[in-house]
Amino acid sequence: MTIKQKNNLIAEMIALLEKSIVVDEENPKPQVFDVPKQTIEMLTVKECSQVISGLSEHTVRQWVAQGLIPYIRTGKGKSGKILISKSALLKYLSSAA
């Protein structure tokens, strides 16, 4: 994930948070309203290759390294697990076809 992509993701998160918090002028305590919950299914590299027939783990890792698909790395350094949104993976595959 490039720095530009990270900054865009952070900006989107901030915009979503700003929409969900309202501050009353007389009561400075913020009131948080319910935001519709979205379930995001995250897949490991191995799970990506299992979901899509014919897709190898090596190819998924190459896409991540090239910044073609967004991902999150859990843990520290290169030993952390790579998680990819299932919807982002499917979106990339449909646009690449």
Side-chain angles (χ1 to χ4, degrees), residues 10 16 18 23-24 26 29-30 32 39 48 53 64 69 74 77 82 85-87 89:
I10 291 170
L16 181 62
E18 287 175 346
V23 179
D24 185 0
E26 296 174 10
K29 261 176 125 175
V32 179
T39 302
C48 289
S53 177
V64 166
I69 53 176
T74 61
I82 296 171
S85 163
K86 184 176 181 180
S87 62
L89 176 65

Side-chain angles (χ1 to χ4, degrees), residues 4 12-13 15 18 28 30-33 37 45 48 51-52 54-55 58 64 69 71 74 76-77 82-83 86 90 96:
K4 184 178 179 180
E12 289 174 14
M13 291 172 60
E18 287 175 346
Q31 299 173 347
V32 179
F33 295 94
K37 294 181 183 176
V45 172
C48 289
V51 168
I52 308 297
L55 181 64
H58 178 74
V64 166
I69 53 176
Y71 69 96
T74 61
K76 294 184 179 180
I82 296 171
L83 297 176
K86 184 176 181 180
L90 295 175

Side-chain angles (χ1 to χ4, degrees):
M1 183 176 276
T2 65
I3 292 176
K4 184 178 179 180
Q5 290 172 325
K6 287 179 184 179
N7 288 338
N8 287 341
L9 182 60
I10 291 170
E12 289 174 14
M13 291 172 60
I14 290 171
L16 181 62
L17 287 172
E18 287 175 346
K19 288 180 184 178
S20 66
I21 298 175
V22 175
V23 179
D24 185 0
E25 297 289 331
E26 296 174 10
N27 183 8
K29 261 176 125 175
Q31 299 173 347
V32 179
F33 295 94
D34 288 333
V35 176
K37 294 181 183 176
Q38 294 178 330
T39 302
I40 300 174
E41 186 176 356
M42 300 299 283
L43 305 172
T44 63
V45 172
K46 185 175 185 176
E47 290 170 338
C48 289
S49 66
Q50 291 170 346
V51 168
I52 308 297
S53 177
L55 181 64
S56 71
E57 292 179 36
H58 178 74
T59 301
V60 175
R61 290 183 193 284
Q62 284 183 324
W63 290 345
V64 166
Q66 294 170 4
L68 298 175
I69 53 176
Y71 69 96
I72 297 172
R73 186 178 295 274
T74 61
K76 294 184 179 180
K78 293 195 175 215
S79 63
K81 201 173 277 254
I82 296 171
L83 297 176
I84 301 162
S85 163
K86 184 176 181 180
S87 62
L89 176 65
L90 295 175
K91 182 178 177 182
Y92 174 73
L93 288 171
S94 66
S95 69

